[in-house]
């Protein structure tokens, strides 16, 4: 009606939004390049510089590469304005690694700023300096960090703690001990804020250097509640690891009760179940049926929790792979590795100082504290963690999921813990599908007899939920519940049968996928319940068979028909109905779906094989009829199945007229008969409780959520691996000593990995699964690779080669081959490492020792690991020659002492190049390893303190634009 | 530790990237993420931890903005998620809400905040009070100033004193002419009523919110008349654990301004203030629906903002709903919303109507769940009562205010 009015309103709203945006940086984000940025950067005025930097930041935010402004930006680092400084730092840190040479220009400024009276300036300078990650300046940064670690300002000291992992990340051997020393200083700091950051540094730099913790253990525990929340999360984990390494597990804890059951079965078992029964307030059934039900359920969760504790200590991959070795006896942890939680002060303090953290408002802190109590607390106190954990479910949806994943493990291992709180796992309509399934799973594993009626009432509501996938899951959960509580089987069956009757109505008309899913799931649940005790559920089977007429979903029909074959001789009623049922099936055969047809064929054969008396004749007729139909079927699977059956059953089918002729069958036919009997007649045994193949990772870890060991995941340290000698200055030495005196089968390898730790290999330690010493020579490459997961396959196997071992197995390997393997191991190590050359000097020092102690086998790496390539020469403007190199896994053909390096040349320019050659500069460069970084000089690859013996590459005579050429050079590292 | 944080708009555009460590994460990971999100639909968007081929991703979605953090190594996932939530809280606090425009408009502040909140992948300063002192909040004054003078810095020149103090959450030495402190009990009632009308679950999730404008370094003590009803509690870091353990007293030095002092849970409540009774009867392809709402237990104060919402099951083709009180809306995503407001004295509000089912469907076999929301001012339904609030270390007598509020949380009625 009033178009102009509408238009005005529109402009008005536009204008108002403009007004709203005035004064913000909106225009900078929208059009960052509408002015020339370069002159602004050189401006005298801070405000203009600021604007230019903001424009650059906007470009970074939008994903453009603006590194070409680097030199101009770096100049501005000297500014007095803090805002400009901050923006420069933001820019600098984003690009420093790309432009290392220009970044060096800023170092002087940082050093000047480190002396600034303003603590904020000092902290920022340190952060930026550590963040630019250049090997060349690492020693300068180390000095700066050391200085800042003693700064009067808490904030600066905190920044120093945060800078340490950055420095450590450069993997420079010579700094490691200095870095660890600073970690020690900062852990000893008076301010809780610093301690938190130092804990994070400790965890990422030297998580197994427990001597640093030992000195301060008590103080760290006391300061824990005052540490800021993020530091608490890490510090809790460190303290837990320390206590386990120092004192071992607690004998009153869950971990212990479960562990001991295997050896001292009967007595301990009874005791443990008694305890779990006592705790279990939800258990209505008192001591009457204590004998059977409670014992069984107690047993299962004990076994499971035993597994949990083993997985925590050894890591599930190693534990499970060890299980698959039949000959390796499990290394039982002996009683000496346990300590009494009541008398051990360190354990008591840890539990005391973590229990108030269960009230933290940070979910991660609560979960970490709960993890400590789960592992360390005496059994009767574990329930302390239940309410805080359940309270976490009221936080955001994202954390809800993570918390539920962890509760799931706790609930599986110790159902009685959560059983009284089953209501907390009832489903809200706002829950996501993942959360709903997790809750269902937890519910079905904790439900008790007293709670089951409430839970079933809930389940009935869920089945009517519009999300049919969830409804199907609910039906499956009902099946699981009744497996847990066999007494409820009848009730469950009634409910499920009623459901199947209901569902056909809808599945008939709606033909929605979801409905079919619910129906199939319902029948599967019925099937699993029947399987537990077929004779008592005879009527149910009959009812199902009767419902064949109305069930239309092929998969559901197939299951029912399977039951016809499986339970054909059960009870009295079923055999009598069989002939009618088979005729019905034969009648409908042509209209069935594929899976149902196949199942009909199988079932009729099964029925026939079990049949007795005069029925056999009629069954044979039915089978003949069906086989004839099947042989003309459109589907080749059905035709094949029919032909196979006819062949194998020819004896039965041919002698139609004769009865009781089985005795006089020719041996050949007899064989076929026996065979068919084996194929079809074999009664399925009640399957043993399904092998538990869950993987358990430490509570609160990422690995527990993604269910594989994330890189850097470390299981708990070996109990009591830390010596009880008080004046040990070098943790690793002591570690080795302790292990040598013990009798684990992994001892030697462990001490080896201990020495590897010093080279900084611990960071990716979990990728190497170091197998025990009893794996022998050639079978190594295939052995123990039983896990399907790429991550878990043992990539490198290190076995100790004692002298005796050498005699037995080492004969086939010549010494040089050994050495060759060692070298390729080193090559491997260096490409696993970020900075390939940095650790080499020390490796060469140690290789002498290692030759006598270890043999390293490398499996076929190429299929598992993608070789990482490094840039040797980078065309600066995308124009010129680009050279990448990578360490290939091939062993040199010329000499095992040589390491092959694959070099890839690419011509990025528009003109052809010729005569490209990579050669060894015969210069005696000094051995400053800092010079060997990615600084793109030709000889950086080969510049070592000793001139490498180099097998030069073939010259590339001509390289077209855009063309790529590959060459391999071989060189010898000293 | 975290390697990178991305902020994605609800159309999948990467609005911001902040690299945290030397191990740079290419933004192609976001493309992968968004492809997955599109191909797998909503369930993917609700997955907080995702293992991509190259990285582990953590995602938190707030108001259409996806906060995506990447790591390649083991770290506590809850730490990442909590941190992202904290970032989202701080940003929405700073920018007065979260949406695509507001983040783009203030991208410099977002960068500065992120840089201060996390260092090398480990959280640095997350306390809102201190952040506010380090990085100025955009407000009208600063905007005008920046327009007039052409420059304004939002970066503080000096380090806030609180970073060094033993109460790092408190701004150092604020001064107020009127000292005042307000304590609010804000409760949410979670209830589930099943198909038979029985109360399956009824509990209160409550928060004690404090707004403090007190000079100096005051020391507060808050005690409850009936702390025993609390089922479980969680505290702000300022609360001292010892006094609570021994006497169930909250003793704390408060942060300045608004903060959540504690949250608590009271379980197993016996009744709800209102009832909602849905009835669905279906035959011959249609379904009659009738929903009644009324007061069950008068809490003594007026119940307002009552709404009843439910999602139509997918098998319903059309719905025709009318009510004798309030308005009924059917939104495009098949959500029906009946806003009642207050319950009138003279009649019981009811909504009735018919659904037309999918052709071929005789009867309804899946049933919607009704979500109810309401608000009651002046009452804490859990029955929790504040006994007294003592203030020490203050020059003059402050003004103390108490309020209470209950609203519906996850209040569900199944049909």
């Amino acid at each position: 009606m009033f178009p102009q009015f509408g238009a005005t309103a529109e402009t008005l709203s536009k204008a108002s939004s403009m007004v709203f945006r005035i004064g913000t940086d909106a225009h900078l984000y929208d059009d960052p390049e509408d002015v020339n940025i370069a002159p602004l950067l050189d401006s005298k005025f801070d405000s203009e510089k600021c604007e230019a930097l903001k424009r650059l930041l906007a470009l970074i935010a939008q994903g453009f590469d603006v590194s070409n402004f680097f030199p101009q930006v770096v100049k501005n680092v000297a500014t007095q304005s803090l805002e400009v400084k901050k923006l420069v730092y933001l820019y600098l840190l984003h690009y420093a690694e790309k432009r290392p040479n220009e970044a060096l220009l800023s170092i002087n400024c940082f050093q000047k700023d480190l002396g600034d009276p303003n603590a904020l300036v000092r902290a920022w300078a340190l952060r930026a300096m550590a963040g630019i990650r250049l090997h060349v300046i690492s020693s300068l940064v180390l000095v700066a960090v050391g200085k800042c670690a003693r700064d009067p300002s808490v904030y600066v000291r905190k920044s120093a703690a945060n800078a340490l992992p950055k420095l450590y990340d450069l993997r420079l051997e010579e700094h490691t001990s200095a870095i660890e020393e600073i970690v020690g200083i900062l852990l000893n700091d008076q301010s809780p804020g610093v301690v938190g950051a130092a804990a994070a540094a400790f965890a990422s730099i030297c998580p197994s250097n427990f001597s640093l913790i030992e000195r301060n253990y008590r103080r760290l525990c006391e300061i824990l509640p005052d540490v800021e929340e993020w530091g608490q999360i890490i510090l809790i984990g460190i303290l837990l690891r320390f206590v386990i390494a120092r004192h071992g597990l607690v004998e009153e804890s869950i971990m212990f009760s479960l562990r001991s059951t295997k050896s001292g079965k009967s007595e301990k078992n009874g005791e443990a179940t008694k305890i779990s029964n006592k705790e279990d307030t939800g258990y209505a059934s008192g001591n009457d049926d204590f004998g059977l039900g409670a014992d069984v359920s107690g047993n299962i969760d004990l076994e499971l929790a035993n597994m949990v504790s083993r997985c925590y200590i050894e890591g599930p991959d190693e534990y499970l792979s060890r299980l698959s070795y039949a000959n390796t006896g499990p290394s039982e942890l002996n009683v000496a590795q346990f300590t009494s939680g009541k008398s051990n002060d360190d354990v008591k303090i840890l539990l005391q100082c973590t229990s108030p953290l269960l009230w933290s408002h940070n979910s991660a802190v609560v979960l970490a504290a709960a993890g400590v109590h789960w592992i360390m607390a005496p059994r009767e106190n574990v329930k302390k963690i239940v309410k805080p954990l359940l309270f976490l479910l009221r936080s955001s949806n994202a954390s809800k999921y993570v918390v539920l994943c962890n509760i799931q493990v706790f609930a599986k291992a110790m159902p009685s813990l959560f059983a009284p709180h089953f209501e907390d796992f009832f489903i809200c309509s706002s829950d996501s599908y993942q959360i709903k399934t997790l809750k269902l799973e937890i519910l079905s594993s904790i439900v008790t007899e007293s709670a089951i009626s409430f839970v079933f009432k809930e389940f009935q509501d869920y089945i009517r939920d519009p999300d049919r996938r969830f409804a199907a899951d609910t039906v499956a959960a009902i099946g699981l519940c009744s497996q847990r509580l066999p007494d409820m089987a009848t009730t469950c069956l009634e409910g499920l049968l009623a459901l199947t009757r209901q569902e056909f109505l809808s599945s008939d008309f709606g033909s929605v996928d979801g409905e079919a899913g619910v129906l199939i799931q319902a029948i599967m649940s019925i099937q699993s319940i029947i399987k537990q005790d077929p004779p008592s559920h005879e009527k149910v089977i009959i009812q199902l068979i009767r419902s064949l007429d109305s069930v239309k979903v092929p998969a559901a029909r197939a299951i029912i028909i399977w039951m016809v074959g499986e339970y054909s001789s059960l009870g009295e009623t079923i055999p009598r109905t069989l002939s009618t049922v088979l005729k019905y099936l034969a009648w409908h055969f042509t209209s069935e779906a594929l899976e149902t047809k196949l199942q009909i064929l199988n079932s009729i054969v099964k029925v026939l094989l079990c049949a007795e008396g005069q029925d056999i004749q009629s069954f044979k007729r039915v089978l003949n009829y069906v086989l004839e139909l099947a042989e003309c079927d459109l589907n080749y699977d059905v035709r094949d199945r029919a032909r196979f059956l006819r062949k194998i059953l020819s004896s039965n089918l041919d002698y139609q007229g004769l009865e009781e002729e089985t005795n006089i069958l020719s041996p050949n036919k007899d064989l076929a008969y026996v065979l068919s009997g084996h194929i079809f007649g074999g009664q399925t045994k009640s399957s043993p409780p399904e092998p538990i193949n869950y993987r358990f990772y430490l509570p609160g870890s990422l690995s527990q959520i993604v269910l594989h060991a994330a890189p850097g995941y470390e299981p708990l340290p070996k109990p009591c691996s830390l010596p009880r000698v008080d004046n040990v200055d070098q943790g690793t030495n002591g570690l080795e000593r302790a292990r040598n005196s013990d009798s684990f089968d992994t001892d030697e390898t462990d001490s080896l990995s201990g020495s590897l730790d010093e080279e900084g290999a611990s960071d990716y330690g979990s990728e190497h699964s170091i197998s025990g010493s009893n794996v022998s020579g050639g079978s190594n490459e295939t052995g123990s690779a039983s896990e399907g997961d790429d991550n878990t396959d043992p990539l490198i196997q290190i076995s100790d080669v004692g002298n005796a071992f050498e005699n037995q197995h080492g004969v086939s390997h010549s010494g040089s081959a050994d050495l060759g393997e060692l070298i390729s191991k080193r090559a491997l190590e260096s490409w696993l490492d970020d900075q390939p050359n940095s650790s080499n000097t020390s490796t060469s020092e140690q290789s002498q020792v290692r030759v006598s102690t270890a043999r390293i086998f490398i499996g076929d790496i190429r299929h598992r690991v993608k070789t990482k390539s490094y840039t040797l020469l980078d065309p600066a403007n995308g124009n010129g020659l680009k050279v990448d190199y990578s360490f290939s896994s091939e062993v040199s053909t010329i000499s095992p002492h040589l390491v092959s390096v694959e070099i890839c040349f690419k011509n990025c320019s528009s003109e052809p190049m010729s005569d490209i050659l990579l050669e060894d500069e015969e210069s005696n460069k000094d051995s400053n390893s800092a010079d060997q970084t990615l600084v793109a000089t030709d000889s950086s690859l080969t510049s070592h303190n000793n001139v490498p013996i180099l097998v030069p590459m073939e010259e590339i005579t001509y390289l077209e634009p855009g063309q790529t050429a590959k060459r391999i050079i071989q060189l010898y590292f000293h | 530790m975290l390697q990178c944080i991305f902020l994605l708009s609800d159309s999948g555009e990467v609005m911001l990237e902040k690299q945290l460590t030397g191990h740079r994460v290419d933004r192609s990971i976001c493309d992968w993420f968004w492809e997955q999100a599109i191909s797998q639909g909503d369930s993917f968007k609700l997955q907080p931890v995702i293992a991509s081929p190259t990285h582990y991703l953590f995602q938190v979605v707030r108001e259409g903005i996806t906060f995506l953090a990447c790591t390649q190594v083991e770290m506590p996932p809850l730490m990442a998620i909590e941190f992202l939530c904290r970032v989202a809280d701080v940003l929405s606090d700073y920018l007065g809400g979260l949406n695509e425009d507001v983040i783009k408009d203030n991208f410099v502040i977002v960068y500065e905040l992120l840089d201060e909140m996390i260092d090398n992948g480990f959280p640095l300063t997350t306390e809102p009070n201190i952040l506010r002192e380090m990085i100025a909040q955009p407000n009208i004054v600063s905007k005008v100033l920046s327009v007039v003078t052409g420059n304004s810095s939002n970066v503080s020149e000096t380090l806030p004193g609180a970073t060094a103090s033993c109460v790092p959450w408190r701004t150092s030495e604020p001064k107020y002419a009127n000292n005042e402190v307000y304590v609010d009990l804000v409760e949410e009632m979670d209830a589930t009523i099943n198909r038979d009308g029985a109360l399956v679950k009824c509990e209160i999730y409550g928060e004690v919110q404090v707004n403090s404008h007190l000079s100096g370094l005051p020391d507060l003590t808050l005690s409850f008349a009936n702390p025993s009803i609390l089922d479980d509690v969680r505290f702000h870091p300022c609360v001292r654990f010892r006094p609570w353990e021994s006497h169930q007293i909250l003793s704390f030095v408060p942060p300045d301004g608004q903060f959540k002092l504690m949250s608590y849970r009271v379980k197993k409540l016996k009744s709800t203030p209102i009832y909602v009774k849905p009835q669905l009867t279906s035959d011959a392809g249609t379904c009659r629906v009738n929903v009644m709402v009324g007061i069950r237990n008068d809490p003594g104060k007026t119940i307002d903002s009552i709404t009843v919402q439910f999602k139509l099951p997918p098998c319903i083709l059309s719905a025709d709903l009318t009510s004798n009180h309030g308005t009924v809306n059917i939104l495009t995503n098949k959500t029906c919303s009946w806003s009642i407001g207050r319950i009138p004295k003279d009649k019981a509000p009811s909504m009735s109507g018919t659904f037309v089912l999918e052709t071929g469907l005789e009867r309804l076999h899946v049933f919607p769940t009704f979500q109810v929301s309401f608000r009651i001012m002046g009452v804490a339904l859990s029955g929790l009562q504040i006994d007294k609030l003592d203030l020490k270390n203050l020059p003059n007598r402050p003004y103390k205010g108490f309020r209470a509020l209950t609203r519906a949380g996850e209040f569900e009625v199944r049909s």
Side-chain angles (χ1 to χ4, degrees), chain A residues 85-102:
Chain A
K85 217 181 251 292
K86 181 102 194 165
L87 292 170
V88 170
Y89 287 163
L90 281 170
Y91 177 91
L92 208 65
L93 292 182
H94 197 84
Y95 284 118
E97 217 158 354
K98 237 177 177 169
R99 313 288 291 247
N101 288 335
E102 285 100 331

Side-chain angles (χ1 to χ4, degrees), chain A residues 310-323:
Chain A
R310 281 171 174 282
C311 283
Y312 286 166
I313 302 259
E314 298 175 43
D317 300 325
E318 283 192 36
Y319 172 58
L320 293 174
S321 69
R322 207 193 57 206
L323 276 187

